[in-house]
Amino acid sequence: MENNNIQEYFTTYIELLDKIHTLGHEIDASVIETDIQDIIEKRSKYKARMHRVRNKLIMALKDEGNKYRVYNALAQKNTLLSVIDGKLEFNEE
């Protein structure tokens, strides 16, 4: 597996995580029930997509072995990724 895929998967994962977080705030701020339902549906779609991306990321990291360095755009710094007991782990450098 190409190493670039890990960075791409991670970047997509972080972007989806940010969108889900933002939609959560929109749900909290919304007072119109139809708006809330639309936002909840959108957030559910992002969560499903994020789950698929996370699984691809875990598989790519398993192929790599140890911790893998990626750039985390939300934190604006590098992060070490690894898979421990089948779960994605984030660690600071």
Side-chain angles (χ1 to χ4, degrees):
M1 180 153 303
E2 288 186 33
N3 292 346
N4 290 343
N5 286 341
I6 293 174
Q7 180 65 59
E8 289 172 22
Y9 291 147
F10 181 73
T11 300
T12 301
Y13 178 84
I14 292 297
E15 288 170 354
L16 290 167
L17 185 64
D18 187 44
K19 287 178 182 180
I20 290 166
H21 180 76
T22 301
L23 289 171
H25 287 296
E26 286 184 35
I27 290 169
D28 293 341
S30 185
V31 292
I32 302 170
E33 188 62 32
T34 55
D35 287 348
I36 292 172
Q37 289 304 315
D38 290 344
I39 296 167
I40 288 172
E41 287 176 25
K42 185 185 279 188
R43 186 174 66 169
S44 292
K45 288 177 185 177
Y46 283 137
K47 281 185 176 183
R49 184 171 171 213
M50 189 175 77
H51 181 72
R52 289 189 304 273
V53 170
R54 185 184 67 229
N55 288 341
K56 288 179 183 180
L57 185 55
I58 288 171
M59 294 304 292
L61 287 167
K62 282 182 180 178
D63 291 344
E64 280 298 310
N66 297 322
K67 294 182 178 184
Y68 189 85
R69 184 177 179 224
V70 292
Y71 180 72
N72 183 337
L74 286 181
Q76 296 181 338
K77 61 182 175 181
N78 289 319
T79 299
L80 294 175
L81 292 180
S82 59
V83 177
I84 299 175
D85 296 328
K87 295 181 182 175
L88 191 60
E89 297 285 330
F90 302 77
N91 297 297
E92 290 187 26
E93 270 193 308

